Structures are given as C-alpha cells and as structure tokens.
Amino acid sequence: MKVRNKSGGALAIVAMASVVALSVSGCTRDGAGQGNGSGASPGITDTSITLGITTPLSGPTAGPGTCTVAGVAAYFGAVNAAGGVKFGDGKTRSVNIKSYDDAYDPQKSLSNFQQMVSDNIFAVTAGLGTPTNRAFRDAAISQKVPQVLVMTGDPLFSDRKQSPWQLGFVPIYQNEGAAFGKLLAGSKDQHKVAILSQNDDYGKGYVSGFKEAIKGNSSISIVGEQTYEATDTSVDAQLTQLASSGADVFFNAMSITPLVIAALQKGQQIGWKPSWFLPSNTSSPTAILQPGGATAYPGIYSVSFAKAPQSPVFAKDPDVVKFLSELKQYGNYPDMPAFPHCMWSYMVGATLEQAFKNMTEPTRDNFMESLRDIKGLKAPLMLEGTSVDTTVDGQPAVSTVVVQKYNGQGYATAENFG
Amino acid sequence: MSSVTSLRSNRTLRIVLIAVVAILLLVAPLVLPVFANQTLVRIGVYAVAVLGLNIVMGYTGQVNLGQIFFVGLGAYVTAYGVNHGWNIVVVFAAACVIAGIVGLLVALAAARLGGLAIAMVTIALPIVGVPLAKRLDEFTGGSQGISARFSDAPDWSRLYSDQWQFYIVLLVTAAAFLLARNLVRGKYGRAFGVVRENEAVAASMGVSPYRTKVLAFTVASIFGGASGFLYLAAVQYTSPETLSFGHSISLVAAMVIGGAGSIAGSLIGGAYYVFVPQLTNAIDPSFTTASQGAILLAVLFLLPEGLVSLPRVVRRLTRRRSKRPAPGNSPQTAPARSPVTEAAPEGLQKTERGKIGHEG
C-alpha cells in the first residue's frame, strides 16, 4: 500500500511540475539589456558612463590588482572633478568605476562579469590576469560587451578575428623578449647567451621573441638553455649548469620574485657574473634588485614603457607629480606605487578618455570602433619612444617598450648594450 | 501513538514539500532574472563538490583537503572530451569515472595511513595538480587554460543559455543529492558512521575500516568529477587556477559552514561558497578577505554545527523562552532534542548514528 502511495505521489509531482513548467514557459523575458529601442547601450546615459573592473583585490596578486583599480580611479577621479569627458556626440559625461574582487579565480571573474552585466556596465576594463580574463572572454563576445585594455600579455586578446570585443593593453611577452634581442643584436661584440625560462607560455613567449630578434646574427650564440617550473623553490642546479657554459649574457625569463632574488645571489656565490635580462614584472629596484645585490653584475637590463615614480630621474617630472597626487586623492592609494600596474592603469584611463572623445554614438559598437582608431597617443607617464597604438591587428594597445639599464637606484634608458 | 501519527503527517508534509520545491526549481529559471539563474547554476556546481566532501569528511570523518583536485580533473576531462567531439553523455561519464579511478588509486594507498597522514596525502593532490596542469599543455592548454562550450542552449529548446545551463546543472545535482542521500541512509552510511566514531568498533562488527574509507574517498572523487563537469557547463573554461589549493580549503569551510554530515548542509555549503564572495564584493571589494573571515567566524561561533542547524537552534531558543514563564515544568524536557520534531532527514541521521554509538 505504502509503496504504491509513494510512487503515485511522485508521479503526481512530476506531472504537476511539467504542467506548470509548460504553462509558464510561454512567458517571455524582456531582453536583458540587449533589445532596448532607444539605441544607447547599457551603462551609458546622457550624463554618465559606468565601467567595471574585475581584478584580484585579495590573495597573492592583490598588490598589482589593487593598482589596476587605483590608476583608473585616479585618472577619472581627476577628470570628473574637472567636469567630465566631452564625448564625440557633444554630451559631457562623468565616468564611474565599479570594481569587483576575483582573487585571481577564473570562476569568480566570470561571476563578476555576470554581475556586471546585471549591474548595467558599459564596458569591462583594466582587469589583471590571463586566466581570469580568459574565463569570461567567450561570454563577453557572445553578449557583445567590450573587454578592453586588460592587463594580460596573452596575444589572444589582441587577435581581432578571435577576440572582436577585446583588446589587451600591456605588451605581449614576445614584445619584451624581442626588445632586448634587438638591443643585443645591435652590439658590435661577440656574445654568448644563456637562457633560463619558466616552463609555460610566459617563459616560452619571452624566449621566442628574443630568438626571433637575434635570428641570423652571427655574433650572438646561445650556449645554454634551461627551464624551471613555476612551483620550483630553487633554480641553483640550472644556474650552476648555465654558469659552466661561460655565457656573458644571461636571459632570465622568470616571473617568481623570490626565485629572481635567489638567482641573483647564487650567481655571485658561484662567481658567474654575466649581464642580466629580466622581465618587466620581476625587475623592481627596491623589491628585487637591491635584496639580490644586483650591483655586482656588469648590467641588469629590463624593459618598460612607464616612467617609474621611485626613480630620482623622474622625481620632478610633471606627469609623475600629477599622477602621485591624483593617486592619493582619487585612487585611495596614498603610498608610492610598488607595482607598475598603477602607472599602466592610469594610462588605460587616458586611452579610454581618448576613445570617448571620438565616440559619436553612445553604443558599444561605436566605442569599439573609436577605441581601435587611436594612433600615436602619448599617454601621461609614457617613456620617450613609446606610444599607444590600437590600430595594428595582433598587437596590444602598447607594443613598444624601451630597454633600460639598472644604475644602482633606478633605471635609465639604454641606447646600446654594454 | 501520537508519535506514529506525527511521523505519518511528517511524511505527507515532506512529500508536499518536495513537490513544491521540485516545481519551483523547474519553473524558477523561466521567471528569474539572468544573473539569478547564473548564480543558482554556480551554487549547483559547488553543492555537488561539497556533497562529495561531506561524504568522506562529514560522514566518514576522514580529512580530505584535496577535493578541488577532483573538481579540476573532472573539468579538464570534460574540456578535453568536448573539444574532441565526444558525445556529452560519454563526456560526463568519463569525468566521473576518471576522477573516480584516480580517487580510488589515491585512496588505496592513503587509507592505509591513519588520521592526519590521509590529510597530508590529500594536500599533495592540488599541489601536484597545478604544475601538472601547466605542464601537460596538449591536454590542458597549459597555464592559459582551455575553453569548451557545450552548454549553450540548442535552438530547438527555445531557451536562453542560462536557463539551459540551469536545467543541466539541476539534473546532475538532483541526481547526485538523491544518490548521496540513499548512500548515507543505507548500510554504507551506517558503516561510514561507525568508522568515523571508532575504527576498532567497526572492525569488531565486521565493517572493514580500510574498505569503508576507500569507498568514501572514491565516492567523494566521483562527486568531485561530476562537479567538474558542471563547472565547465557553468564557466565553459578551466585553467590551473581552478584547482589551486586555496579553493580546497574554501570547500572545506563551506562544508563546515553548511553542516558537516548533512545532505541539506551540502547544498547550503554550495550556496555559501558562491554567495559570500558576491556579498563581500557588494560590501567593499577591497576588504573581501577580511569580511569573509568575519562571516566565517560569526557562523562558527553562533552555529557550530553549521547553518543547517539554524532551525533547530531557533526552535530550541523559542521553546526555552516559552517555558520561562512557567517554571513548574520538569527541567529535563527543555534541552532534550526529540528526534521527531527535528528536521526530518537530519533527525533520522542523528538517531541512527546514536544507536550505533550506544551499541559500541
């Protein structure tokens, strides 16, 4: 009896549920922002535009992540205080920034993106991280939401065919490796190069850019090549191996701060003192080179496109002074920026403003068009010889970098190797 | 007598309740806003992962800090299968089976070790998993991760993608919860309970602690794999960050917050895992970790048995308050937890376990 009762109940439930489901499925939902008749995209009104940033604000990458918000907030804070941006359609709008913490977790960045869509964000910008940006790239494309000037060296974001609604901001890894390769190829002397790289797309990108740039140059030979895993705690074995090759140039494509410091110290211990190349994100004078005792080496080279506020050379630079005061006042970032991402995202602000000025319609389509049409923009804080150029397919907004040499305190632009 | 009738009315009440919930769940995606659907989908994903964790940790008492590894493994298997054009049912089966086999192999070795050693082995899983996922880039796409889209709504369904995803997740999650419920209610559930309380007693009763632990661990891994499949249905992308060790700890926290050793608690745990970051983001995106910590502490201090015990605690408090004006009542009735009036599934669970404990 009981059994029959139960199954009967279950059947009734299923039947009833399907009846209700069928009757309700007739309902249509109002298009979530896609189909509004007035022509303006979500997130933009006659007086304001809202941008969203999803970036790590907690966890191990919180430092650079916080900077990506602070720079944009500082730039537009000052612009809003001065009245706002005059758009190409003649209306003056203030720019609002909404930030979301993804803790470098792809699942959370997707969730933040979905939240942004429901919060009516016009465009997503400046967020840091390759996996976190990749996680919602497909969703951004299918919902036609711009995901632009993001902080990732992944070339996918600058490929127009595959990423019609995306654009990377910072140089891709290959750009950096190639810049150093070019400098070295310009040297008249013979050079023996030892390469150590992280065994992933990061390290491979640097190495392939470097090799491309020195191709066919007979005065440069690669005498040793080693890799390490991003989780390794020591690269002593690789260094000893490379030191025995007698190289005078050490190309070290390493992204882990403590490993770089340890490597700088180990080289001195075993008496191998080549010139070094370090990637832009692991070449901080205060955080890496000083504790590593980098002055023992004949030269430490890195690349950059931003003026470093810490460097005495730029202490009185008007861009730097203005940037630091705005960062304090509007960016909620009172200290000297410890990561270049603060400067980069400030430039993102300037690039966005330029795109806004050229926008003739308040739509995302028009925004993408106008963003893809910026050439030769010298954003504040940019180094001599670099500029924003969004018109080249396959390249991020900034693809030019300047090789710099460490001078014991900060960096100065290096014209020649040696 | 009265307890028998109340049991029977409880049963009809429960059937009605289940019916209402089922109908609500089926209708919800059609009427809710997009973002609500997407949030519910993610809750389903993590509820299944927490459910698996609950079986091995909550019910069997073996510390498992590697659950996220199986979620990631399931996600990678799914991505690989989808990108190679496998049938989606095959993909789902593969995600569960491969995660289950790996879980079984690990458990065969780990369950021989006692207590904390199992925890150590499980810690190793995500720690090994992240570099492995980066290294095996033909399968995993390396550190840039891998996309796989299979959960966009097909045209014939005339649904939006978020609704379609909701139904996929609902189907798998409901099946997982039903299976888990039957498992922990049956003889295996009793075996889990007795192994958790006292392994010597279990052995004396003819329950092999080793086999039981291996079983619980394997089942947890299968649920992890299923959760990974759902992860890919919801996120459509996975990368080595998916299986980072920190998420494993968050899963354990979600399980404890929801309620260890409780099926309903797993669902609450999944909801906690998804909602709290959204909530703390809304409070202030710069202080998410601090506010998450505060919420965690608050829940654990106020409800040490997890959020699932909230109705019980509320009932106890209100009962005590209503007793206060009449001091003549016998004192021992107030704090006693009567199994009949408790939330039914948890109540049964508790009494069964209690019995075993007494026999031992």
Side-chain angles (χ1 to χ4, degrees):
Chain A
M1 261 309 269
K2 254 184 194 168
V3 177
R4 210 190 302 151
N5 261 347
K6 244 191 194 167
S7 65
L11 261 180
I13 292 161
V14 174
M16 232 166 97
S18 29
V19 165
V20 173
L22 277 175
S23 60
V24 177
S25 63
C27 306
T28 50
R29 68 166 84 182
D30 354 315
Q34 294 104 321
N36 59 8
S38 67
S41 292
I44 186 163
T45 67
D46 283 351
T47 53
S48 75
I49 183 166
T50 310
L51 305 173
I53 302 177
T54 171
T55 203
L57 298 172
S58 64
T61 30
T66 308
C67 256
T68 57
V69 175
V72 181
Y75 190 86
F76 283 116
V79 166
N80 288 346
V85 182
K86 191 154 177 11
F87 279 55
D89 63 356
K91 292 178 177 128
T92 301
R93 298 183 173 93
S94 62
V95 182
N96 304 322
I97 308 290
K98 270 193 160 177
S99 60
Y100 302 81
D101 176 23
D102 61 35
Y104 211 74
D105 178 359
Q107 176 267 129
K108 285 201 187 104
S109 76
L110 177 76
S111 143
N112 287 346
F113 173 74
Q114 294 167 342
Q115 172 119 48
M116 285 188 221
V117 171
S118 89
D119 287 355
N120 272 333
I121 294 283
F122 180 78
V124 185
T125 188
L128 167 77
T130 301
T132 44
N133 272 303
R134 275 205 176 209
F136 66 94
R137 184 180 144 271
D138 283 329
I141 293 170
S142 72
Q143 302 190 44
K144 299 191 164 61
V145 179
Q147 177 190 9
V148 292
L149 308 180
V150 287
M151 308 284 181
T152 161
D154 183 350
L156 176 70
F157 287 87
S158 304
D159 182 320
R160 305 227 161 149
K161 207 169 262 163
Q162 289 189 63
S163 304
W165 290 90
Q166 280 76 13
L167 184 63
F169 185 73
V170 291
I172 53 180
Y173 310 135
Q174 283 84 348
N175 296 146
E176 292 200 8
F180 182 68
K182 245 179 248 158
L183 185 82
L184 197 61
S187 160
K188 286 179 225 67
D189 307 322
Q190 295 279 329
H191 290 293
K192 288 195 273 182
V193 185
I195 296 177
L196 177 62
S197 62
Q198 193 163 304
N199 188 16
D200 59 12
D201 57 287
Y202 175 88
K204 284 174 192 156
Y206 273 95
V207 173
S208 77
F210 175 74
K211 284 184 175 168
E212 194 66 32
I214 59 165
K215 211 184 211 170
N217 195 314
S218 55
S219 63
I220 300 168
S221 54
I222 295 172
V223 292
E225 215 172 328
Q226 297 278 328
T227 60
Y228 73 95
E229 298 303 319
T231 44
D232 286 353
T233 50
S234 160
V235 290
D236 289 358
Q238 287 94 326
L239 282 175
T240 320
Q241 190 83 23
L242 290 173
S244 67
S245 71
D248 65 326
V249 178
F250 180 33
F251 186 86
N252 188 4
M254 196 177 254
S255 76
I256 316 283
T257 302
L259 276 188
V260 179
I261 298 172
L264 284 164
Q265 291 165 344
K266 182 72 185 173
Q268 295 167 48
Q269 276 172 24
I270 58 178
W272 180 43
K273 290 180 182 165
S275 292
W276 282 55
F277 169 80
L278 286 172
S280 58
N281 63 342
T282 44
S283 55
S284 157
T286 45
I288 293 177
L289 299 186
Q290 276 165 21
T295 40
Y297 294 96
I300 304 277
Y301 295 86
S302 187
V303 294
S304 174
F305 61 94
K307 293 172 184 169
Q310 303 92 333
S311 166
V313 186
F314 296 118
K316 294 213 169 64
D317 186 282
D319 276 2
V320 170
V321 173
K322 182 165 180 283
F323 164 68
L324 287 178
S325 86
E326 288 177 5
L327 199 62
K328 197 180 288 181
Q329 193 177 350
Y330 303 108
N332 192 21
Y333 200 101
D335 313 316
M336 184 63 90
F339 302 92
H341 305 75
C342 280
M343 284 80 87
W344 298 347
S345 63
Y346 191 76
M347 296 177 198
V348 165
T351 312
L352 285 170
E353 189 188 22
Q354 183 66 36
F356 291 156
K357 281 179 179 164
N358 296 335
M359 258 171 86
T360 50
E361 291 162 32
T363 62
R364 287 167 172 166
D365 282 290
N366 190 255
F367 167 72
M368 284 309 289
E369 260 173 54
S370 113
L371 181 75
R372 289 251 157 94
D373 195 30
I374 298 171
K375 204 174 158 80
L377 170 69
K378 194 99 173 55
L381 296 175
M382 285 195 105
L383 284 171
E384 203 60 51
T386 61
S387 66
V388 174
D389 183 351
T390 57
T391 59
V392 190
D393 188 8
Q395 294 290 347
V398 178
S399 58
T400 45
V401 285
V402 173
V403 181
Q404 295 190 300
K405 190 177 179 186
Y406 180 59
N407 59 15
Q409 279 181 304
Y411 282 99
T413 302
E415 305 290 345
N416 301 302
F417 182 78
Chain B
M1 258 316 271
S2 72
S3 79
V4 173
T5 50
S6 84
L7 255 180
R8 190 172 297 156
S9 72
N10 251 353
R11 171 157 290 157
T12 41
L13 190 77
R14 240 165 76 203
I15 290 178
V16 170
L17 207 72
I18 289 171
V20 169
V21 169
I23 292 170
L24 278 181
L25 281 174
L26 283 173
V27 174
L30 304 173
V31 290
L32 285 176
V34 184
F35 185 56
N37 283 345
Q38 291 164 333
T39 304
L40 288 172
V41 163
R42 277 196 304 278
I43 289 177
V45 173
Y46 286 103
V48 174
V50 172
L51 181 65
L53 193 59
N54 226 331
I55 287 175
V56 66
M57 248 175 115
Y59 284 97
T60 320
Q62 306 303 312
V63 179
N64 180 354
L65 301 172
Q67 181 70 353
I68 200 72
F69 172 81
F70 297 102
V71 177
L73 184 63
Y76 272 122
V77 170
T78 309
Y80 184 83
V82 166
N83 288 336
H84 284 73
W86 300 356
N87 183 303
I88 199 63
V89 179
V90 177
V91 171
F92 175 66
C96 296
V97 169
I98 292 178
I101 290 174
V102 173
L104 175 68
L105 292 177
V106 172
L108 283 176
R112 292 203 180 276
L113 310 164
L116 287 175
I118 295 187
M120 295 301 114
V121 173
T122 57
I123 286 179
L125 288 174
I127 291 175
V128 173
V130 173
L132 214 57
K134 286 185 178 166
R135 196 73 182 262
L136 300 172
D137 52 359
E138 328 122 63
F139 300 106
T140 63
S143 58
Q144 291 179 328
I146 183 168
S147 288
R149 297 165 72 84
F150 65 93
S151 52
D152 289 340
D155 288 336
W156 55 261
S157 68
R158 290 171 45 215
L159 291 171
Y160 291 90
S161 285
D162 57 290
Q163 298 168 337
W164 183 252
Q165 286 171 11
F166 184 97
Y167 287 121
I168 296 179
V169 172
L170 179 63
L171 183 71
V172 176
T173 308
F177 271 78
L178 210 64
L179 287 173
R181 176 184 165 277
N182 289 345
L183 180 79
V184 299
R185 291 279 183 85
K187 70 170 185 181
Y188 292 113
R190 285 191 294 276
F192 292 160
V194 70
V195 167
R196 183 181 70 160
E197 296 306 331
N198 190 329
E199 289 185 20
V201 171
S204 77
M205 289 166 72
V207 173
S208 158
Y210 176 66
R211 272 196 213 152
T212 309
K213 283 193 246 174
V214 170
L215 177 74
F217 203 93
T218 310
V219 169
S221 318
I222 294 173
F223 279 105
S227 165
F229 173 84
L230 295 180
Y231 181 95
L232 221 73
V235 183
Q236 305 190 326
Y237 168 85
T238 182
S239 74
E241 272 70 26
T242 304
L243 32 89
S244 108
F245 180 58
H247 304 328
S248 233
I249 301 296
S250 305
L251 279 180
V252 173
M255 184 203 77
V256 174
I257 292 259
S262 154
I263 295 289
S266 307
L267 192 60
I268 300 174
Y272 171 87
Y273 192 96
V274 171
F275 270 129
V276 164
Q278 282 179 10
L279 180 73
T280 52
N281 246 336
I283 298 172
D284 183 341
S286 312
F287 294 102
T288 47
T289 347
S291 34
Q292 277 172 30
I295 293 174
L296 186 72
L297 284 177
V299 172
L300 287 182
F301 276 127
L302 297 174
L303 296 167
E305 285 175 60
L307 285 171
V308 76
S309 65
L310 182 66
R312 206 151 58 215
V313 170
V314 168
R315 207 174 303 134
R316 197 161 57 207
L317 285 178
T318 50
R319 200 187 302 157
R320 202 175 292 164
R321 193 158 299 163
S322 63
K323 285 282 152 60
R324 216 163 271 163
N329 264 340
S330 62
Q332 85 248 32
T333 55
R337 292 208 226 126
S338 110
V340 178
T341 51
E342 266 172 27
E346 308 324 316
L348 284 174
Q349 207 51 55
K350 284 271 146 52
T351 44
E352 264 169 20
R353 234 187 263 140
K355 257 184 228 153
I356 293 164
H358 287 305
E359 277 166 21

